Amino acid sequence: MAKVPSSVVAASGLVGGYGVARWTRKRQLGGVVLAAAGVAAARQWRERAGGTAAGVLSAAYVAAFAGSHPLAKKVGAWPAVFSVAGAVALASWAVADRRG
């Protein structure tokens, strides 16, 4: 069975976490989705690119989550979430997934 690329896992965590929080009106539930995907992506990053890269990408994941909030005030919630998810996916692909 093929593994889901870490870039897809990370982007899905950001988009899915926001979606779950918004549609259930339970921010904590969205946080669980965000955290679960972040942990899964970090494990893949460590396996594929090593501990340092996993740490940097994990920091980028958290920064993207935090950065989506002020960005949402300028461009709207969904555009902000999709923008940061795309940025994290691109970074994840470049550092971990592209190799193989």
Side-chain angles (χ1 to χ4, degrees):
M1 185 163 122
K3 242 183 178 177
V4 176
S6 62
S7 55
V8 173
V9 173
S12 297
L14 290 161
V15 173
Y18 175 69
V20 167
R22 180 170 177 140
W23 290 316
T24 64
R25 298 181 192 251
K26 297 190 186 303
R27 293 178 70 183
Q28 299 85 351
L29 191 55
V32 169
V33 171
L34 178 78
V39 168
R43 285 183 182 156
Q44 288 182 321
W45 294 329
R46 184 178 305 158
E47 288 173 7
R48 295 177 185 172
T52 301
V56 170
L57 288 168
S58 294
Y61 185 78
V62 172
F65 167 71
S68 69
H69 292 83
L71 182 60
K73 292 179 181 180
K74 295 183 181 198
V75 299
W78 280 112
V81 170
F82 287 130
S83 295
V84 300
V88 168
L90 182 61
S92 178
W93 176 82
V95 173
D97 294 338
R98 177 176 51 159
R99 298 177 189 182

